[in-house]
Amino acid sequence: MIDRLVNYFRSLGLVDDSNDKIIKYGLRRVCLFLTDFAIILLLSYLLGNIWVGILFELAYSLLRIYAGGFHASKEAYCFVLSYSSIIISLCLINYMHISTFLMFIACITMFISIVLLSPIEHKNKPLCTKERIIYRRNTIIILIAELGALFYFNWSHQLLFAKSILAAILLVGLAQWFALLQKKF
């Protein structure tokens, strides 16, 4: 499908040999994002609240882009890890009780951890000093916004939404720690 799109874009003069790999990569990323989003919508629907899944995916994706994290060595491992973490997160959001105090402790702990570790670079995409500064700043801004939303949802007794944001923050923090372990071994 991606090759057909690239060939179609090539026939329109939008793609040539100098940019075809970039276009293919971008289209592949869009397809993966749409697949992720479709799975999130399906699981959220089956669990009874589509908005919880959308909020989780939004909070997770925004933070993960800038904070970085674990990258599996093979695409198959990536799919298994990604989708199992999504399924586990959505089940925990919907079925696990968490006290306000524990939520607060987890948020503060992960906030500090993510700020200290960000951005986690991938060996195939090293960041220059300026990019590191920008990624860290964006990570902090997103974290502050997400924590503000989490505390608002908690205060207004919309606990599923608060837990969605908490799960996203926890998942990014865990992915960062696994990335550090991956580098050591």
Side-chain angles (χ1 to χ4, degrees):
M1 179 176 99
I2 290 174
D3 287 331
R4 281 191 229 157
L5 273 172
V6 170
N7 287 334
Y8 175 70
F9 291 152
R10 192 180 297 275
S11 72
L12 295 174
L14 299 171
V15 174
D16 58 33
D17 291 338
S18 69
N19 65 359
D20 66 339
K21 290 180 182 173
I22 295 169
I23 300 298
K24 281 182 183 179
Y25 177 77
L27 288 171
R28 187 170 167 83
R29 295 296 306 154
V30 168
C31 287
L32 288 172
F33 174 77
L34 292 174
T35 302
D36 286 351
F37 199 71
I39 288 172
I40 289 283
L41 288 176
L42 176 65
L43 289 172
S44 302
Y45 174 76
L46 293 174
L47 291 168
N49 194 328
I50 290 177
W51 294 109
V52 166
I54 291 171
L55 181 60
F56 168 78
E57 181 66 19
L58 182 66
Y60 175 75
S61 297
L62 282 174
L63 187 55
R64 177 73 162 75
I65 287 169
Y66 292 103
F70 181 79
H71 289 276
S73 59
K74 295 185 180 180
E75 194 172 343
Y77 297 154
C78 180
F79 285 130
V80 169
L81 286 171
S82 294
Y83 296 129
S84 60
S85 66
I86 288 169
I87 291 168
I88 291 167
S89 295
L90 289 175
C91 287
L92 290 175
I93 290 165
N94 282 284
Y95 298 116
M96 187 177 137
H97 172 73
I98 183 168
S99 70
T100 301
F101 177 74
L102 190 55
M103 194 178 293
F104 176 76
I105 296 299
C107 282
I108 297 304
T109 303
M110 279 299 142
F111 179 89
I112 293 167
S113 175
I114 291 170
V115 167
L116 291 175
L117 297 175
S118 294
I120 299 282
E121 298 176 73
H122 188 269
K123 64 183 175 187
N124 295 338
K125 189 186 174 213
L127 302 172
C128 68
T129 303
K130 186 176 181 179
E131 288 174 317
R132 273 189 227 104
I133 292 168
I134 292 168
Y135 275 53
R136 180 181 297 266
R137 182 198 66 211
N138 290 350
T139 297
I140 292 169
I141 291 168
I142 292 166
L143 268 173
I144 290 170
E146 288 183 4
L147 288 176
L150 185 149
F151 288 123
Y152 168 77
F153 288 133
N154 194 41
W155 174 77
S156 63
H157 303 291
Q158 298 177 47
L159 298 181
L160 285 178
F161 293 145
K163 290 192 297 185
S164 295
I165 295 172
L166 175 64
I169 292 170
L170 288 172
L171 196 55
V172 169
L174 289 173
Q176 286 188 320
W177 282 104
F178 281 120
L180 287 178
L181 290 174
Q182 181 184 36
K183 285 181 182 180
K184 296 216 187 246
F185 299 106

